[in-house]
Amino acid sequence: MHTRLVRMLLWLDKNLWAIPTIPFVAFEVSLAGIHLTGHGPVLLAMVSTSARQETYASLTNTASALLGFTIAAIAVLAAFPPRPSNNAAQRASEQRLSAARTKLMASLLATSFFMLTLLITSTVALAVDSKKVGNPLLVALVQGSALAVVFGLLVGGVGVLFVLLERSNIP
């Protein structure tokens, strides 16, 4: 059990894009199971139409603002090449840090994809989801994308913080 957990964490460390993707897939599968078993509307689908519309509008505004910041963070990370060094150990360390920044950019790109999905789906839902019970497909995409964005931004934000701290340490 312990080695399996370590292997999963090592895989996750190499595939940071999966951090927002796994919660999205797990949430979508869970909601599909609930919907298919006939339990009725859950979460956002069961709130009033006006509350749902306000939520969609808020998510649209938030996702559009955060998408810009996330893309800016990706551009900043891409601008950090490995520092030149004559020392082989420092060169190897810079290559590892550069690879880590690339993995972090992949995670932020995946998060940006879910933000874009959230933005588009919320905008469409704002226009068409006006019945008493929310559209199951739109509601599931909105909620799953929002969950993925939260996970992606938490990990991405911490990662960008570490990169900035590492880059500010001028030798």
Side-chain angles (χ1 to χ4, degrees):
M1 171 86 172
H2 175 37
T3 57
R4 186 180 306 161
L5 178 63
V6 170
R7 279 195 311 246
M8 287 189 323
L9 289 174
L10 288 172
W11 181 87
L12 200 56
D13 180 51
K14 291 179 181 167
N15 300 287
L16 288 179
W17 57 265
I19 290 176
T21 307
I22 291 171
F24 174 81
V25 171
F27 188 81
E28 294 300 316
V29 168
S30 299
L31 275 185
I34 290 169
H35 181 70
L36 291 175
T37 57
H39 282 83
V42 292
L43 301 173
L44 188 57
M46 62 189 282
V47 299
S48 69
T49 304
S50 62
R52 218 172 35 252
Q53 295 293 317
E54 289 175 20
T55 302
Y56 293 146
S58 177
L59 287 172
T60 299
N61 292 331
T62 304
S64 62
L66 289 175
L67 184 59
F69 285 120
T70 305
I71 291 173
I74 293 168
V76 167
L77 290 172
F80 289 143
R83 292 180 182 140
S85 176
N86 294 332
N87 182 339
Q90 286 178 338
R91 231 181 356 262
S93 174
E94 282 297 321
Q95 290 301 322
R96 285 192 306 277
L97 289 171
S98 179
R101 286 190 298 272
T102 302
K103 292 174 192 173
L104 181 57
M105 286 189 301
S107 173
L108 288 172
L109 282 170
T111 302
S112 296
F113 169 77
F114 287 113
M115 270 188 237
L116 185 60
T117 303
L118 178 60
L119 178 61
I120 291 169
T121 310
S122 293
T123 303
V124 169
L126 193 56
V128 300
D129 193 12
S130 59
K131 294 183 180 174
K132 183 177 178 181
V133 175
N135 180 302
L137 178 61
L138 288 175
V139 168
L141 282 173
V142 165
Q143 294 172 137
S145 297
L147 183 67
V149 167
V150 168
F151 274 88
L153 286 178
L154 286 173
V155 170
V158 170
V160 169
L161 174 67
F162 285 147
V163 168
L164 293 175
L165 288 173
E166 176 265 324
R167 292 305 282 202
S168 67
N169 186 10
I170 300 171

